[in-house]
Amino acid sequence: MKAAIEARWAEEVEFFKELVKVPSDNPPGDCEAHALRASELLEGLGFKVEQHPVPEPFVRQNGMRSVTNLIVRQVFGEGTGPVIALNAHGDVVPAGDGWTTDPYGGEEHGGAVYGRGAAVSKSDFATYAFALLALIAEPEGLNGTIELHFTYDEEAGGFVGPKWLIEQELTKPDYALSAGFSYAITTAHNGCLHMEVVVRGRQAHAALPENGADALEATVPILSALYAERHHLAHIHSAEKGIGSPKLTVGLISGGINTNVVPDRITFRLDRRLIPEENGAQVEAALRDLIHGAVGKIDGVEVECRRIMLAEPLRPREGTEKLVNALAIPAEAILGEAVSATGVPLYTDARHYAEAGIPTVLYGAGPRSITEANAHSADEHLELADLRAATEIVALALKDLLSA
C-alpha cells in the first residue's frame, strides 16, 4: 500500500488543492459547482462517478440552494464481502475574516495546505479516493465493495446528504467511515437541538405600559430558567470518553419596536447539546415544559416553541469495534503512538449512518484537535504529513476489512 500511495502522492496533493480552490460555503449552501468539479477530478482519476442531485424543495427546506451528492462504487473480487462507505462532506462554513492566505487559494506553506475546508473535510475526499486507488493497484485477496460518498450538507445537518442517500435506497453499506482526524478514532459524539422561542405580548405607549403586555418582561424568567438549567447540566457527565457534559446556549435574541413602545414580541434561539446517553425528543419535551413553566400564565402573553433542528448523538453500535481494530493497528504502526477510540463534543452527519443501523466511526486526515488545524477559523490548514499517513492507514484498514 505504501508504494502505491507514494507513486501517486504528488497527484493526491494537487487533487486536494483543487478541491479547496472551489468555494462551497454553507450558508448559503450553493454547492453544486463544487460537486461538479469534484466529479470531474474523480473521473480524471479513472473513477465512474454517480451524480445524485437532490430536488430543490428538499434543499430549500434545509436552508440551502443546491446539493448534488456523489457516489463512487468499486467492487473487489466476487463482491460478496462487506460494503464499506467512506463519507466526507464538501460544504464548509464561510471563510470569515483574519486570513493571512487566500481562503480559496489552496496554498502550500511549510508542509501544509491552507484554505477553508482544508481540514474539515475536503482533505478526506483525497484521503478516501487515494486509499481506494491504492487498493485498486493491489487488489489480490480482496472481496467486497468500497463506496465513496461525497456529500454537501454536513453544516446544515446532513439531512439531504447521508440521510437522503440512505432513505432513497441509493446505498446500503455494512460499515461506514466518516471524515475525522488521524490521532483518534471517534466512536461517539454529542447531538444538537436548535429551538426558536417566540414570546408574544401586546404593544403599548411607554407612558402607559400597563395598557400592554410586555413580551420582554415575560422573557426574563424564561432566560433565568434556561441559564439555571445550563449550570445544572454542567454537573452531568457522559460515560463516553471525550464527550463531557450537556450544554445550553442562547445564541440569538431580537425584538421590540422602539425605545418608547412596550415590546410586543421577543424571539430567541437556543442550542442544546446532547450527550449520547440522552434522547433528543425527551430533551426537547423537557425544555418546552421548562420554558412554559417559567413564564406561567400572564394575561396577554403567549409563548411558542419551535424546533429548528434535532440531531441525535452518535452512539457506538455493535460492530463498531471491528472498524476500530482495523484502523488502530496500522495507525499505531505508522504514527508511532497508540490511536484509541474516543468521543468528541460536537456533532456530524456520521450519525445518519449509525441511526440506520450501520456501525460507524470517524477517521481521516487531521491533527490531534480542531484547534490545531484552525478548523472553522482563519488560516484553516492541514499538514500534508497527516494526509499521507491517514491515506495509508485507511487503505490498510480497508484491506483488512475486505480480506476477512
PDB file of all heavy atoms in Angstrom, residues 119-145:
ATOM      1  N   ALA A 119      -9.116  21.186   6.417  1.00  0.00           N
ATOM      2  CA  ALA A 119      -9.169  20.160   7.465  1.00  0.00           C
ATOM      3  C   ALA A 119     -10.541  19.528   7.572  1.00  0.00           C
ATOM      4  O   ALA A 119     -10.669  18.347   7.901  1.00  0.00           O
ATOM      5  CB  ALA A 119      -8.752  20.759   8.809  1.00  0.00           C
ATOM      6  N   VAL A 120     -11.592  20.315   7.330  1.00  0.00           N
ATOM      7  CA  VAL A 120     -12.976  19.841   7.533  1.00  0.00           C
ATOM      8  C   VAL A 120     -13.802  20.157   6.299  1.00  0.00           C
ATOM      9  O   VAL A 120     -14.302  21.256   6.163  1.00  0.00           O
ATOM     10  CB  VAL A 120     -13.610  20.512   8.774  1.00  0.00           C
ATOM     11  CG1 VAL A 120     -15.001  19.976   9.040  1.00  0.00           C
ATOM     12  CG2 VAL A 120     -12.731  20.337  10.011  1.00  0.00           C
ATOM     13  N   SER A 121     -14.046  19.159   5.370  1.00  0.00           N
ATOM     14  CA  SER A 121     -13.335  17.909   5.335  1.00  0.00           C
ATOM     15  C   SER A 121     -12.943  17.576   3.902  1.00  0.00           C
ATOM     16  O   SER A 121     -13.018  16.442   3.469  1.00  0.00           O
ATOM     17  CB  SER A 121     -14.209  16.793   5.920  1.00  0.00           C
ATOM     18  OG  SER A 121     -15.322  16.519   5.082  1.00  0.00           O
ATOM     19  N   LYS A 122     -12.521  18.602   3.145  1.00  0.00           N
ATOM     20  CA  LYS A 122     -12.131  18.346   1.755  1.00  0.00           C
ATOM     21  C   LYS A 122     -10.892  17.464   1.686  1.00  0.00           C
ATOM     22  O   LYS A 122     -10.678  16.762   0.685  1.00  0.00           O
ATOM     23  CB  LYS A 122     -11.918  19.672   1.021  1.00  0.00           C
ATOM     24  CG  LYS A 122     -13.209  20.462   0.835  1.00  0.00           C
ATOM     25  CD  LYS A 122     -13.018  21.787   0.138  1.00  0.00           C
ATOM     26  CE  LYS A 122     -14.359  22.509  -0.046  1.00  0.00           C
ATOM     27  NZ  LYS A 122     -14.215  23.815  -0.716  1.00  0.00           N
ATOM     28  N   SER A 123     -10.077  17.492   2.735  1.00  0.00           N
ATOM     29  CA  SER A 123      -8.900  16.633   2.766  1.00  0.00           C
ATOM     30  C   SER A 123      -9.282  15.165   2.666  1.00  0.00           C
ATOM     31  O   SER A 123      -8.561  14.367   2.045  1.00  0.00           O
ATOM     32  CB  SER A 123      -8.113  16.876   4.055  1.00  0.00           C
ATOM     33  OG  SER A 123      -8.944  16.733   5.190  1.00  0.00           O
ATOM     34  N   ASP A 124     -10.423  14.800   3.264  1.00  0.00           N
ATOM     35  CA  ASP A 124     -10.789  13.389   3.253  1.00  0.00           C
ATOM     36  C   ASP A 124     -11.422  12.951   1.935  1.00  0.00           C
ATOM     37  O   ASP A 124     -11.565  11.750   1.698  1.00  0.00           O
ATOM     38  CB  ASP A 124     -11.669  13.051   4.454  1.00  0.00           C
ATOM     39  CG  ASP A 124     -10.829  12.898   5.718  1.00  0.00           C
ATOM     40  OD1 ASP A 124      -9.643  12.536   5.600  1.00  0.00           O
ATOM     41  OD2 ASP A 124     -11.345  13.161   6.814  1.00  0.00           O
ATOM     42  N   PHE A 125     -11.769  13.886   1.048  1.00  0.00           N
ATOM     43  CA  PHE A 125     -12.040  13.485  -0.332  1.00  0.00           C
ATOM     44  C   PHE A 125     -10.770  12.821  -0.881  1.00  0.00           C
ATOM     45  O   PHE A 125     -10.823  11.786  -1.551  1.00  0.00           O
ATOM     46  CB  PHE A 125     -12.373  14.707  -1.202  1.00  0.00           C
ATOM     47  CG  PHE A 125     -13.797  15.191  -1.125  1.00  0.00           C
ATOM     48  CD1 PHE A 125     -14.442  15.349   0.091  1.00  0.00           C
ATOM     49  CD2 PHE A 125     -14.491  15.516  -2.276  1.00  0.00           C
ATOM     50  CE1 PHE A 125     -15.739  15.814   0.141  1.00  0.00           C
ATOM     51  CE2 PHE A 125     -15.788  15.977  -2.236  1.00  0.00           C
ATOM     52  CZ  PHE A 125     -16.422  16.127  -1.014  1.00  0.00           C
ATOM     53  N   ALA A 126      -9.628  13.458  -0.588  1.00  0.00           N
ATOM     54  CA  ALA A 126      -8.350  12.931  -1.066  1.00  0.00           C
ATOM     55  C   ALA A 126      -7.954  11.665  -0.312  1.00  0.00           C
ATOM     56  O   ALA A 126      -7.522  10.673  -0.922  1.00  0.00           O
ATOM     57  CB  ALA A 126      -7.267  14.002  -0.916  1.00  0.00           C
ATOM     58  N   THR A 127      -8.081  11.682   1.022  1.00  0.00           N
ATOM     59  CA  THR A 127      -7.742  10.500   1.817  1.00  0.00           C
ATOM     60  C   THR A 127      -8.433   9.261   1.273  1.00  0.00           C
ATOM     61  O   THR A 127      -7.805   8.227   1.001  1.00  0.00           O
ATOM     62  CB  THR A 127      -8.169  10.692   3.283  1.00  0.00           C
ATOM     63  OG1 THR A 127      -7.587  11.885   3.799  1.00  0.00           O
ATOM     64  CG2 THR A 127      -7.751   9.512   4.140  1.00  0.00           C
ATOM     65  N   TYR A 128      -9.755   9.358   1.124  1.00  0.00           N
ATOM     66  CA  TYR A 128     -10.547   8.190   0.756  1.00  0.00           C
ATOM     67  C   TYR A 128     -10.355   7.798  -0.707  1.00  0.00           C
ATOM     68  O   TYR A 128     -10.261   6.610  -1.037  1.00  0.00           O
ATOM     69  CB  TYR A 128     -12.025   8.452   1.056  1.00  0.00           C
ATOM     70  CG  TYR A 128     -12.322   8.696   2.516  1.00  0.00           C
ATOM     71  CD1 TYR A 128     -13.464   9.394   2.906  1.00  0.00           C
ATOM     72  CD2 TYR A 128     -11.482   8.235   3.525  1.00  0.00           C
ATOM     73  CE1 TYR A 128     -13.758   9.609   4.244  1.00  0.00           C
ATOM     74  CE2 TYR A 128     -11.764   8.458   4.865  1.00  0.00           C
ATOM     75  CZ  TYR A 128     -12.904   9.149   5.219  1.00  0.00           C
ATOM     76  OH  TYR A 128     -13.189   9.369   6.537  1.00  0.00           O
ATOM     77  N   ALA A 129     -10.284   8.794  -1.603  1.00  0.00           N
ATOM     78  CA  ALA A 129     -10.131   8.478  -3.026  1.00  0.00           C
ATOM     79  C   ALA A 129      -8.787   7.796  -3.291  1.00  0.00           C
ATOM     80  O   ALA A 129      -8.710   6.799  -4.029  1.00  0.00           O
ATOM     81  CB  ALA A 129     -10.252   9.743  -3.869  1.00  0.00           C
ATOM     82  N   PHE A 130      -7.725   8.292  -2.661  1.00  0.00           N
ATOM     83  CA  PHE A 130      -6.410   7.718  -2.964  1.00  0.00           C
ATOM     84  C   PHE A 130      -6.144   6.454  -2.156  1.00  0.00           C
ATOM     85  O   PHE A 130      -5.341   5.615  -2.591  1.00  0.00           O
ATOM     86  CB  PHE A 130      -5.329   8.783  -2.776  1.00  0.00           C
ATOM     87  CG  PHE A 130      -5.257   9.717  -3.958  1.00  0.00           C
ATOM     88  CD1 PHE A 130      -6.137  10.786  -4.071  1.00  0.00           C
ATOM     89  CD2 PHE A 130      -4.358   9.489  -4.988  1.00  0.00           C
ATOM     90  CE1 PHE A 130      -6.101  11.633  -5.177  1.00  0.00           C
ATOM     91  CE2 PHE A 130      -4.310  10.326  -6.099  1.00  0.00           C
ATOM     92  CZ  PHE A 130      -5.190  11.401  -6.200  1.00  0.00           C
ATOM     93  N   ALA A 131      -6.824   6.281  -1.016  1.00  0.00           N
ATOM     94  CA  ALA A 131      -6.771   4.973  -0.344  1.00  0.00           C
ATOM     95  C   ALA A 131      -7.426   3.922  -1.223  1.00  0.00           C
ATOM     96  O   ALA A 131      -6.916   2.793  -1.354  1.00  0.00           O
ATOM     97  CB  ALA A 131      -7.477   5.058   1.006  1.00  0.00           C
ATOM     98  N   LEU A 132      -8.535   4.289  -1.860  1.00  0.00           N
ATOM     99  CA  LEU A 132      -9.209   3.355  -2.765  1.00  0.00           C
ATOM    100  C   LEU A 132      -8.341   3.047  -3.981  1.00  0.00           C
ATOM    101  O   LEU A 132      -8.262   1.891  -4.425  1.00  0.00           O
ATOM    102  CB  LEU A 132     -10.561   3.936  -3.192  1.00  0.00           C
ATOM    103  CG  LEU A 132     -11.390   3.114  -4.184  1.00  0.00           C
ATOM    104  CD1 LEU A 132     -11.591   1.679  -3.700  1.00  0.00           C
ATOM    105  CD2 LEU A 132     -12.746   3.790  -4.431  1.00  0.00           C
ATOM    106  N   LEU A 133      -7.656   4.059  -4.519  1.00  0.00           N
ATOM    107  CA  LEU A 133      -6.762   3.816  -5.652  1.00  0.00           C
ATOM    108  C   LEU A 133      -5.636   2.858  -5.267  1.00  0.00           C
ATOM    109  O   LEU A 133      -5.200   2.036  -6.085  1.00  0.00           O
ATOM    110  CB  LEU A 133      -6.182   5.146  -6.146  1.00  0.00           C
ATOM    111  CG  LEU A 133      -7.141   6.044  -6.925  1.00  0.00           C
ATOM    112  CD1 LEU A 133      -6.507   7.406  -7.179  1.00  0.00           C
ATOM    113  CD2 LEU A 133      -7.557   5.403  -8.250  1.00  0.00           C
ATOM    114  N   ALA A 134      -5.165   2.952  -4.023  1.00  0.00           N
ATOM    115  CA  ALA A 134      -4.115   2.037  -3.570  1.00  0.00           C
ATOM    116  C   ALA A 134      -4.632   0.602  -3.533  1.00  0.00           C
ATOM    117  O   ALA A 134      -3.910  -0.338  -3.882  1.00  0.00           O
ATOM    118  CB  ALA A 134      -3.613   2.459  -2.191  1.00  0.00           C
ATOM    119  N   LEU A 135      -5.891   0.414  -3.134  1.00  0.00           N
ATOM    120  CA  LEU A 135      -6.473  -0.930  -3.152  1.00  0.00           C
ATOM    121  C   LEU A 135      -6.631  -1.445  -4.583  1.00  0.00           C
ATOM    122  O   LEU A 135      -6.399  -2.626  -4.853  1.00  0.00           O
ATOM    123  CB  LEU A 135      -7.846  -0.914  -2.471  1.00  0.00           C
ATOM    124  CG  LEU A 135      -7.916  -0.667  -0.965  1.00  0.00           C
ATOM    125  CD1 LEU A 135      -9.362  -0.791  -0.492  1.00  0.00           C
ATOM    126  CD2 LEU A 135      -7.043  -1.635  -0.194  1.00  0.00           C
ATOM    127  N   ILE A 136      -7.042  -0.561  -5.471  1.00  0.00           N
ATOM    128  CA  ILE A 136      -7.203  -0.959  -6.872  1.00  0.00           C
ATOM    129  C   ILE A 136      -5.861  -1.396  -7.460  1.00  0.00           C
ATOM    130  O   ILE A 136      -5.793  -2.331  -8.279  1.00  0.00           O
ATOM    131  CB  ILE A 136      -7.822   0.198  -7.684  1.00  0.00           C
ATOM    132  CG1 ILE A 136      -9.263   0.445  -7.217  1.00  0.00           C
ATOM    133  CG2 ILE A 136      -7.782  -0.078  -9.176  1.00  0.00           C
ATOM    134  CD1 ILE A 136      -9.897   1.708  -7.787  1.00  0.00           C
ATOM    135  N   ALA A 137      -4.784  -0.750  -7.014  1.00  0.00           N
ATOM    136  CA  ALA A 137      -3.454  -1.104  -7.507  1.00  0.00           C
ATOM    137  C   ALA A 137      -2.991  -2.454  -6.970  1.00  0.00           C
ATOM    138  O   ALA A 137      -2.159  -3.125  -7.605  1.00  0.00           O
ATOM    139  CB  ALA A 137      -2.451  -0.021  -7.125  1.00  0.00           C
ATOM    140  N   GLU A 138      -3.512  -2.869  -5.807  1.00  0.00           N
ATOM    141  CA  GLU A 138      -3.116  -4.139  -5.182  1.00  0.00           C
ATOM    142  C   GLU A 138      -4.365  -4.896  -4.734  1.00  0.00           C
ATOM    143  O   GLU A 138      -4.643  -5.016  -3.544  1.00  0.00           O
ATOM    144  CB  GLU A 138      -2.185  -3.874  -3.994  1.00  0.00           C
ATOM    145  CG  GLU A 138      -0.913  -3.120  -4.359  1.00  0.00           C
ATOM    146  CD  GLU A 138      -0.036  -2.827  -3.147  1.00  0.00           C
ATOM    147  OE1 GLU A 138      -0.287  -3.416  -2.071  1.00  0.00           O
ATOM    148  OE2 GLU A 138       0.891  -2.005  -3.272  1.00  0.00           O
ATOM    149  N   PRO A 139      -5.167  -5.428  -5.668  1.00  0.00           N
ATOM    150  CA  PRO A 139      -6.465  -5.996  -5.338  1.00  0.00           C
ATOM    151  C   PRO A 139      -6.444  -7.465  -4.898  1.00  0.00           C
ATOM    152  O   PRO A 139      -7.500  -8.010  -4.547  1.00  0.00           O
ATOM    153  CB  PRO A 139      -7.230  -5.866  -6.654  1.00  0.00           C
ATOM    154  CG  PRO A 139      -6.164  -6.049  -7.699  1.00  0.00           C
ATOM    155  CD  PRO A 139      -4.928  -5.406  -7.129  1.00  0.00           C
ATOM    156  N   GLU A 140      -5.306  -8.080  -4.891  1.00  0.00           N
ATOM    157  CA  GLU A 140      -5.245  -9.517  -4.627  1.00  0.00           C
ATOM    158  C   GLU A 140      -5.827  -9.856  -3.251  1.00  0.00           C
ATOM    159  O   GLU A 140      -5.484  -9.252  -2.239  1.00  0.00           O
ATOM    160  CB  GLU A 140      -3.794 -10.007  -4.703  1.00  0.00           C
ATOM    161  CG  GLU A 140      -3.162  -9.907  -6.078  1.00  0.00           C
ATOM    162  CD  GLU A 140      -2.693  -8.496  -6.417  1.00  0.00           C
ATOM    163  OE1 GLU A 140      -2.665  -7.637  -5.490  1.00  0.00           O
ATOM    164  OE2 GLU A 140      -2.369  -8.239  -7.590  1.00  0.00           O
ATOM    165  N   GLY A 141      -6.728 -10.846  -3.230  1.00  0.00           N
ATOM    166  CA  GLY A 141      -7.295 -11.336  -1.984  1.00  0.00           C
ATOM    167  C   GLY A 141      -8.423 -10.502  -1.413  1.00  0.00           C
ATOM    168  O   GLY A 141      -8.954 -10.821  -0.343  1.00  0.00           O
ATOM    169  N   LEU A 142      -8.830  -9.458  -2.121  1.00  0.00           N
ATOM    170  CA  LEU A 142      -9.892  -8.584  -1.615  1.00  0.00           C
ATOM    171  C   LEU A 142     -11.255  -9.044  -2.129  1.00  0.00           C
ATOM    172  O   LEU A 142     -11.386  -9.480  -3.275  1.00  0.00           O
ATOM    173  CB  LEU A 142      -9.638  -7.139  -2.025  1.00  0.00           C
ATOM    174  CG  LEU A 142      -8.299  -6.525  -1.608  1.00  0.00           C
ATOM    175  CD1 LEU A 142      -8.231  -5.070  -2.020  1.00  0.00           C
ATOM    176  CD2 LEU A 142      -8.066  -6.682  -0.106  1.00  0.00           C
ATOM    177  N   ASN A 143     -12.273  -8.894  -1.285  1.00  0.00           N
ATOM    178  CA  ASN A 143     -13.632  -9.287  -1.662  1.00  0.00           C
ATOM    179  C   ASN A 143     -14.630  -8.375  -0.956  1.00  0.00           C
ATOM    180  O   ASN A 143     -14.699  -8.354   0.280  1.00  0.00           O
ATOM    181  CB  ASN A 143     -13.900 -10.746  -1.269  1.00  0.00           C
ATOM    182  CG  ASN A 143     -15.295 -11.198  -1.666  1.00  0.00           C
ATOM    183  OD1 ASN A 143     -15.861 -10.722  -2.641  1.00  0.00           O
ATOM    184  ND2 ASN A 143     -15.864 -12.112  -0.891  1.00  0.00           N
ATOM    185  N   GLY A 144     -15.370  -7.623  -1.734  1.00  0.00           N
ATOM    186  CA  GLY A 144     -16.351  -6.702  -1.161  1.00  0.00           C
ATOM    187  C   GLY A 144     -16.451  -5.455  -2.007  1.00  0.00           C
ATOM    188  O   GLY A 144     -15.990  -5.423  -3.160  1.00  0.00           O
ATOM    189  N   THR A 145     -17.044  -4.418  -1.446  1.00  0.00           N
ATOM    190  CA  THR A 145     -17.273  -3.177  -2.191  1.00  0.00           C
ATOM    191  C   THR A 145     -16.902  -1.969  -1.331  1.00  0.00           C
ATOM    192  O   THR A 145     -17.247  -1.911  -0.149  1.00  0.00           O
ATOM    193  CB  THR A 145     -18.747  -3.047  -2.610  1.00  0.00           C
ATOM    194  OG1 THR A 145     -19.107  -4.191  -3.394  1.00  0.00           O
ATOM    195  CG2 THR A 145     -18.985  -1.783  -3.422  1.00  0.00           C
TER     196      THR A 145
END
